[in-house]
Amino acid sequence: MWSKTFIAIVGGCLLSISLMLNLNFMIPFKIDTRLFIGLLFSFPMWVALMVWCYASETFKQAFKRCTLLFIPSAMFNALFLLN
Amino acid sequence: MNKESIKRLTLAHGWLGLVFSGLLFIIFFAGSIALFRQEITLWSMQPHFPVTSGENIGVNKVLKTALADRDYDANEHITLILPSTDSHYYKAYVDIKDREKEPHYDELLIDPVTGKIVSEGYKFDLADFIYRLHYNLNIPSGKYVLGFVTLFFLFALISGIFIHARKLVSNFFQYRGEKHKRSQLLDMHNVVGVISLPFTIMYAISGLIFNLVIIYQVAFALTVYKGDGEALLKDAGFTVIAPEWLDKPVDHVDIDKLIAKVSDEYQVAPRMLTIYNYGDESAVIQLRSQDTSELTTTYNVAYSLVDERVIMKSDNDHPNSLTIGTGVLRKLHYGNYASIDLRFIYLLLGFGVCGLIITGNLLWLEKREKMRNFSARTLSIARYFTVLSSAGIIVSTSIAFLCERLMPVTWLDRVELLAQTFWLSLAALAIIYVLPKVRANYRQALAVSLYVSAAMLLLTLLVSLSALSQPLIDLFMVGSYAVFAVDLSLFISALLLTKVGHIIMKKSSQVAVKAQEDLIPTMNK
């Protein structure tokens, strides 16, 4: 269980940042509203990912789950940032 | 979610809950008391100073008194907090030129009727100490430590929902009082957890935003804003007011007139004024309201002091979603958007969560005590930390209350002494709880701790009534009841602590008798 804590904290944090960046680029509101929505949803997103990690069978499975979600999300981040 | 996943979540819920329970208890216990920090500050301070009644002399004269014979730093800022129901006096914070030691400013309490300085220096720290304990433990970087504790608290809440989901509705009112002890604890944990869920989720998310926002702030500044942190802050509605010093002295500016104008415009008087570059042509005044009757913040405006030109305006006509949103979250968190009844509901829920934390730990202990191969040392450590982080904090807090009342107001280092008393009490209890005789019966230790807390609170009340009887009568005569309300709360708390301590002591005796009865047949064999 303790090994999953590492991926839950670090992986959850990175993934939530990446997902929030995508959300920030996609939602059609003014910047202050987008920032507030991002702020409001980022921590629950992080915790949801933590739950997903702890529900995994092993550290390896948790790592795999986070990585598989992070790769496409990071690609979208790159796409949005380059544009 | 399948059964195996729920099992893994239950394991994580239990272990992480236990590991972070001590700090979580501090957060909720201190936070619940800190809901009334204005009243506690009044209780600490008001009986030591006279209460005058009459016409308010206004900010111009107060400012003159605050700055007279003081080598203030005009390049810095002067802050004034205006009198309200929370405080009878003007509070002034004046930055002093080239002061090497901290604080670099003078803190003054100024009577709004006589205009005299009633107190200099920061002396009444009890309420703020408890409040800081709630959000940063009074230690450097404590804010981030508690931020991560809050993260795991939110995890415990969400995982708790998954664990309890199937019985969430059917077992909502279930409490098996007469049956097995584990069922009692589990029902208590579940019922308090479910009832307080909207409150705890709001607290966890807002607490995370206050303490760990820096993570997302840095990430957004580096990516979306390409390293331009100032642009991010500007979009977020945080305007930095830093007027350039022009070195053109201005004699007199009528601040009262400006306050009247702003109060008239918004129909709410400002609560806090910050004056930048006072005495220079570049001087700017920032006025902020603190309306406790509604959720949204009314205004935060800045004007040039010389020509009343608008420098910055954030109000309901010029809104910024992030500023308003975080303002709403702050009010939701502090419960200061309605009358005092709401804060009592928050208080009950906060103490309910303290119960939730303790029952969670007891459940964990009960389960592991039955496991044959489980480490006795781990169990002993878990029991020790449960008692220290709950009873230890309660006793230390009540000693801090007594200390605040006993210390003469003339003592300059009473702020440091209060903090030292709290931490020394906790350290002493940490040693006492580790003694073999105490470890042999933690229930009894818990009960005795609650009795000690009750005695401390009653002693505090006794000191209040004997040493400060005349000021208390004077306060009552002018209709200032906050001090009495706090004294009454201390009395009720003492009664409750005695009652709970009595119940625990009774159970402890029953357990001891049962253990002895179990031991006799074994010995006869």
Side-chain angles (χ1 to χ4, degrees):
Chain A
M1 193 201 79
W2 298 110
S3 59
K4 283 186 265 180
T5 303
F6 173 76
I7 195 75
I9 295 177
V10 179
C13 178
L14 289 175
L15 199 45
S16 69
I17 289 172
S18 173
L19 292 170
M20 279 311 119
L21 279 173
N22 287 332
L23 187 74
N24 191 270
F25 283 119
M26 283 190 288
I27 46 177
F29 296 123
K30 275 170 70 184
I31 183 68
D32 53 339
T33 312
R34 289 196 328 245
L35 285 175
F36 183 60
I37 290 172
L39 196 61
L40 212 53
F41 285 98
S42 49
F43 289 108
M45 179 71 77
W46 187 353
V47 170
L49 291 163
M50 282 173 79
V51 170
W52 202 32
C53 288
Y54 279 112
S56 306
E57 213 175 324
T58 55
F59 167 80
K60 206 175 162 186
Q61 193 190 24
F63 183 77
K64 214 170 151 183
R65 282 176 167 179
C66 284
T67 313
L68 284 176
L69 193 60
F70 185 70
I71 291 169
S73 177
M75 282 165 73
F76 274 112
N77 288 157
L79 196 74
F80 283 128
L81 287 169
L82 288 172
N83 284 336
Chain B
M1 205 176 269
N2 63 44
K3 267 187 181 175
E4 281 305 306
S5 297
I6 295 288
K7 219 171 165 183
R8 288 191 283 268
L9 273 185
T10 311
L11 186 76
H13 179 91
W15 270 104
L16 293 171
L18 180 84
V19 169
F20 295 107
S21 62
L23 292 174
L24 260 183
F25 187 91
I26 296 176
I27 294 176
F28 275 92
F29 182 73
S32 302
I33 298 174
L35 285 167
F36 296 91
R37 63 183 184 282
Q38 285 91 351
E39 286 79 5
I40 295 171
T41 304
L42 267 182
W43 172 85
S44 303
M45 177 184 80
Q46 195 65 80
H48 297 288
F49 306 121
V51 180
T52 46
S53 51
E55 205 180 326
N56 191 318
I57 56 164
V59 169
N60 290 333
K61 283 182 183 167
V62 167
L63 201 58
K64 214 172 164 186
T65 310
L67 301 180
D69 304 324
R70 216 170 291 276
D71 192 16
Y72 69 94
D73 190 354
N75 274 303
E76 272 297 334
H77 54 273
I78 302 156
T79 305
L80 273 183
I81 298 174
L82 275 56
S84 67
T85 47
D86 297 339
S87 173
H88 176 70
Y89 306 107
Y90 277 99
K91 263 188 195 170
Y93 301 87
V94 183
D95 280 77
I96 303 299
K97 239 182 223 170
D98 307 322
R99 181 179 280 176
E100 284 171 8
K101 63 171 188 173
E102 286 294 331
H104 57 275
Y105 55 84
D106 279 350
E107 184 181 334
L108 314 164
L109 282 181
I110 300 169
D111 192 296
V113 180
T114 62
K116 283 181 183 168
I117 295 173
V118 290
S119 170
E120 271 197 53
Y122 188 58
K123 288 175 182 170
F124 305 98
D125 191 44
L126 177 67
D128 287 335
F129 176 82
I130 295 171
Y131 177 52
R132 289 194 302 273
L133 202 63
H134 162 70
Y135 75 84
N136 71 4
L137 293 172
N138 283 294
I139 56 168
S141 304
K143 185 180 166 182
Y144 306 114
V145 174
L146 292 192
F148 278 99
V149 171
T150 314
L151 186 76
F152 282 102
F153 175 59
L154 187 58
F155 166 77
L157 291 176
I158 305 297
S159 57
I161 295 173
F162 278 108
I163 296 163
H164 192 56
R166 278 189 295 173
K167 297 170 192 165
L168 199 73
V169 178
S170 61
N171 287 8
F172 191 77
F173 293 106
Q174 179 174 275
Y175 181 66
R176 292 162 286 182
E178 298 303 316
K179 288 192 181 172
H180 197 260
K181 188 183 154 201
R182 183 168 168 78
S183 311
Q184 273 184 21
L185 284 175
L186 190 63
D187 290 344
M188 241 193 280
H189 190 73
N190 290 343
V191 167
V192 176
V194 172
I195 289 175
S196 62
L197 199 59
F199 168 79
T200 44
I201 286 183
M202 176 277 288
Y203 256 166
I205 293 175
S206 53
L208 276 167
I209 290 173
F210 300 153
N211 282 29
L212 289 185
V213 69
I214 188 84
I215 294 174
Y216 293 97
Q217 201 175 319
V218 169
F220 270 68
L222 289 176
T223 52
V224 182
Y225 289 86
K226 312 271 187 288
D228 189 355
E230 271 184 38
L232 170 64
L233 287 176
K234 200 180 165 197
D235 280 345
F238 295 100
T239 314
V240 179
I241 299 169
E244 200 180 325
W245 185 264
L246 297 175
D247 214 10
K248 290 179 183 168
V250 175
D251 275 346
H252 177 75
V253 188
D254 193 353
I255 298 175
D256 284 316
K257 202 177 120 197
L258 186 65
I259 291 173
K261 186 187 139 190
V262 173
S263 304
D264 195 41
E265 188 183 338
Y266 293 106
Q267 294 300 307
V268 178
R271 175 87 172 92
M272 190 171 163
L273 312 177
T274 311
I275 305 165
Y276 304 83
N277 291 3
Y278 184 70
D280 189 54
E281 205 181 276
S282 60
V284 169
I285 184 167
Q286 187 180 8
L287 304 101
R288 274 168 278 193
S289 68
Q290 196 191 50
D291 187 6
T292 52
S293 63
E294 55 184 58
L295 262 176
T296 49
T297 311
T298 317
Y299 62 83
N300 177 12
V301 289
Y303 297 93
S304 159
L305 251 185
V306 177
D307 54 15
E308 296 184 9
R309 180 171 35 90
V310 176
I311 306 287
M312 182 270 291
K313 207 167 204 176
S314 173
D315 55 23
N316 293 343
D317 296 327
H318 307 79
N320 178 294
S321 300
L322 193 71
T323 316
I324 291 177
T326 46
V328 168
L329 283 177
R330 196 161 283 122
K331 284 199 168 188
L332 275 173
H333 195 91
Y334 299 148
N336 60 355
Y337 53 93
S339 62
I340 199 162
D341 324 21
L342 183 79
R343 281 190 281 152
F344 275 111
I345 295 171
Y346 269 52
L347 180 80
L348 289 178
L349 285 165
F351 284 156
V353 179
C354 291
L356 182 84
I357 294 162
I358 294 175
T359 50
N361 277 14
L362 294 179
L363 276 169
W364 187 94
L365 282 167
E366 281 266 316
K367 195 177 172 184
R368 267 71 184 181
E369 275 164 1
K370 283 175 190 157
M371 291 180 181
R372 280 186 187 173
N373 297 330
F374 200 81
S375 156
R377 203 175 163 201
T378 310
L379 280 174
S380 180
I381 293 171
R383 264 187 231 113
Y384 172 75
F385 275 105
T386 304
V387 174
L388 181 66
S389 62
S390 52
I393 292 294
I394 297 172
V395 176
S396 305
T397 308
S398 49
I399 291 174
F401 267 89
L402 178 64
C403 182
E404 177 77 327
R405 237 333 156 240
L406 279 177
M407 281 190 297
V409 73
T410 46
W411 285 8
L412 292 173
D413 49 358
R414 68 197 305 283
V415 171
E416 288 80 22
L417 277 170
L418 182 93
Q420 284 163 7
T421 309
F422 179 88
W423 293 119
L424 282 175
S425 314
L426 197 61
L429 287 163
I431 296 167
I432 291 169
Y433 292 146
V434 92
L435 296 174
K437 208 178 167 184
V438 180
R439 274 166 56 193
N441 194 342
Y442 268 126
R443 265 198 195 86
Q444 204 174 30
L446 186 63
V448 172
S449 302
L450 298 186
Y451 287 149
V452 171
S453 298
M456 292 296 148
L457 295 182
L458 288 176
L459 204 58
T460 310
L461 202 59
L462 206 67
V463 174
S464 271
L465 295 176
S466 57
L468 301 164
S469 55
Q470 192 51 49
L472 287 176
I473 293 168
D474 293 343
L475 279 171
F476 192 81
M477 298 306 275
V478 293
S480 179
Y481 304 122
V483 179
F484 292 96
V486 175
D487 276 333
L488 185 67
S489 308
L490 294 183
F491 181 67
I492 294 169
S493 305
L495 292 184
L496 283 174
L497 286 168
T498 312
K499 178 74 185 162
V500 177
H502 188 66
I503 293 168
I504 295 171
M505 189 61 107
K506 217 170 140 187
K507 285 216 169 175
S508 157
S509 312
Q510 284 169 359
V511 170
V513 168
K514 197 172 177 288
Q516 229 168 15
E517 282 171 1
D518 291 344
L519 201 67
I520 291 166
T522 320
M523 283 168 77
N524 289 342
K525 272 181 195 174

